[in-house]
């Protein structure tokens, strides 16, 4: 069992930066592929970025390539999402998610979820 707690969301102006953190409980964090999803109001969750259990493989949605960076520190049981050059359309609740071993691109494949953190980008 893994519990995930996100932090780092907030209000930022367009062009600004935020770093989201997701702290995981449990001793098997290093066995989990981790991902960040966003969910705009009234819409489905969308994959933003994902990282393999070792950190050796990453995936990014086209909309965030070159602006966002996902990373993890297995010693700290934490995964990060560095978000730069933020745009108003990045506004959403961001969720951390985990599943054993391999990463996946659809939300239904993930077994564990955090409570979400709000990111609001003003124009």
């Amino acid at each position: 069992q893994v519990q995930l707690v996100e932090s780092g969301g907030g209000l930022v102006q367009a062009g600004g930066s935020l770093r989201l953190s997701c702290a995981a409980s449990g001793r098997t964090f290093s066995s989990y592929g981790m991902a960040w999803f966003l969910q705009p109001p009234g819409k489905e969750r969308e994959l933003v970025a994902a990282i393999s259990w070792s950190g050796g493989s990453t995936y990014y949605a086209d909309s965030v390539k070159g602006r966002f960076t996902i990373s993890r520190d297995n010693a700290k049981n934490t995964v990060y999402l560095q978000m730069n050059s933020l745009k108003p359309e990045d506004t959403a609740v961001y969720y951390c998610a985990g599943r054993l071993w391999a990463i996946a691109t659809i939300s239904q494949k993930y077994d564990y979820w955090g409570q979400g953190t709000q990111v609001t980008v003003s124009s």
Side-chain angles (χ1 to χ4, degrees):
Q1 189 77 9
V2 175
Q3 292 184 325
L4 305 175
V5 179
E6 302 98 333
S7 61
L11 173 65
V12 63
Q13 288 188 330
S17 298
L18 284 174
R19 188 174 83 154
L20 305 184
S21 298
C22 173
S25 65
R27 295 174 291 178
T28 58
F29 174 76
S30 59
S31 301
Y32 283 77
M34 301 297 296
W36 289 96
F37 286 79
L38 63 80
Q39 185 167 25
K43 296 185 178 181
E44 298 293 320
R45 289 183 186 182
E46 306 168 6
L47 179 64
V48 176
I51 188 166
S52 63
W53 64 273
S54 66
S57 297
T58 56
Y59 172 89
Y60 294 95
D62 287 343
S63 59
V64 305
K65 284 180 180 177
R67 299 190 298 123
F68 291 11
T69 303
I70 190 170
S71 61
R72 67 189 297 161
D73 185 338
N74 286 343
K76 295 183 178 179
N77 280 14
T78 303
V79 62
Y80 305 97
L81 185 67
Q82 178 66 44
M83 305 187 293
N84 298 329
S85 302
L86 282 161
K87 304 175 182 180
E89 50 264 44
D90 295 321
T91 295
V93 178
Y94 283 71
Y95 294 90
C96 175
R99 66 188 302 267
L100 271 175
W101 303 120
I103 56 177
T105 58
I106 59 173
S107 61
Q108 292 86 346
K109 294 287 188 180
Y110 285 83
D111 301 306
Y112 303 103
W113 292 87
Q115 82 288 351
T117 186
Q118 177 70 46
V119 171
T120 303
V121 184
S122 63
S123 57

